[in-house]
């Protein structure tokens, strides 16, 4: 769902993927390039949400976002990819938007391995990241640039790109 109308950020959003359980995806019996998903709305998944919640009737397919940093590497939160089991049991889907009803198999990637992972919340350290290698390169979109040094200064305007979960 696009809430921001700057084409620069809309293009960057194409490099953000959604983590989806293998159990939610199934291939079309008549076209192996089409993947269907079991639909659930936020209302179904979180029945205690207020009726006025903005995205209540929107499909919720996944539970974590990640972004490309190289052709075949993705960064996500460390609590999203903690074990080899997480790597094996979830797919990464690009181009899932508000009105998506089917997925194209070319936009679905598997986790080949967790390269680096840290999840630590303590009084002295907050770390929550994972770098994963995808099963193949993502060739139709560009990896996102990232800050490699320095800090983000207070008052700096930011844009968040991700998926509802």
């Amino acid at each position: 769902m696009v809430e921001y109308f700057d084409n620069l950020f809309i293009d960057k959003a194409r490099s953000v993927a959604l983590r989806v359980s293998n159990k939610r995806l199934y291939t079309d019996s008549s076209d192996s390039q089409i993947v269907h998903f079991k639909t659930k709305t936020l209302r179904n998944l979180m029945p205690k949400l207020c009726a006025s919640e903005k995205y209540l009737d929107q499909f919720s397919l996944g539970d974590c976002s990640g972004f490309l940093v190289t052709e075949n590497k993705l960064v996500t939160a460390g609590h999203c990819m903690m074990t080899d089991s997480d790597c094996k049991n979830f797919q990464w889907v690009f181009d899932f938007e508000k009105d998506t009803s089917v997925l194209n198999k070319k936009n679905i990637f598997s986790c080949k391995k967790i390269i680096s992972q840290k999840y630590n919340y303590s009084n002295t350290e907050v770390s929550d990241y994972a770098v994963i290698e995808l099963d193949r390169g993502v060739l139709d979109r560009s990896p996102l640039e990232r800050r490699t040094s320095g800090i983000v200064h207070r008052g700096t305007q930011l844009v968040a790109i991700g998926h509802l979960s």
Side-chain angles (χ1 to χ4, degrees), residues 15-26:
S15 298
V16 176
L18 176 65
R19 185 182 88 149
V20 180
S21 170
N22 293 339
K23 295 175 185 176
R24 300 275 310 271
L25 303 173
Y26 58 98

Side-chain angles (χ1 to χ4, degrees), residues 74-81 114 116-118 128-132:
L74 185 133
V75 171
T76 188
H79 67 269
C80 293
M81 296 300 285
I114 298 173
S116 176
Q117 188 273 352
K118 192 164 187 181
D128 189 8
Y129 69 88
V131 180
I132 66 168

Side-chain angles (χ1 to χ4, degrees), residues 14 16 93-97 100 103 106-107 140-141 163:
R14 294 194 68 243
V16 176
V93 175
F94 289 90
D95 294 340
F96 179 75
E97 297 179 7
T100 299
L103 304 169
K106 73 179 179 104
N107 293 327
D140 62 346
R141 57 202 79 218
H163 291 279

Side-chain angles (χ1 to χ4, degrees), residues 28-111:
D28 189 295
S29 59
S30 61
D31 185 346
S32 64
Q33 296 307 303
I34 299 296
V35 177
H36 297 275
F37 53 91
K38 297 176 184 172
T39 57
K40 294 181 181 178
T41 63
L42 285 178
R43 182 187 308 272
N44 299 128
L45 294 169
M46 301 177 190
K48 293 184 179 183
L49 287 175
C50 296
S52 61
E53 191 67 39
K54 185 174 183 176
Y55 303 107
L56 199 60
D57 292 313
Q58 183 173 321
F59 290 139
S60 179
L61 181 59
D63 57 4
C64 289
S65 296
F67 62 95
L68 282 178
V69 292
T70 71
E71 183 180 287
N72 69 333
K73 291 182 180 62
L74 185 133
V75 171
T76 188
H79 67 269
C80 293
M81 296 300 285
M82 295 180 76
T83 66
D84 289 338
S85 178
D86 290 334
C87 190
K88 182 177 72 174
N89 293 319
F90 291 90
Q91 303 284 314
W92 290 90
V93 175
F94 289 90
D95 294 340
F96 179 75
E97 297 179 7
K98 178 181 173 187
D99 296 320
T100 299
S101 58
V102 296
L103 304 169
N104 190 316
K105 191 172 188 170
K106 73 179 179 104
N107 293 327
I108 302 173
F109 295 77
S110 298
C111 172

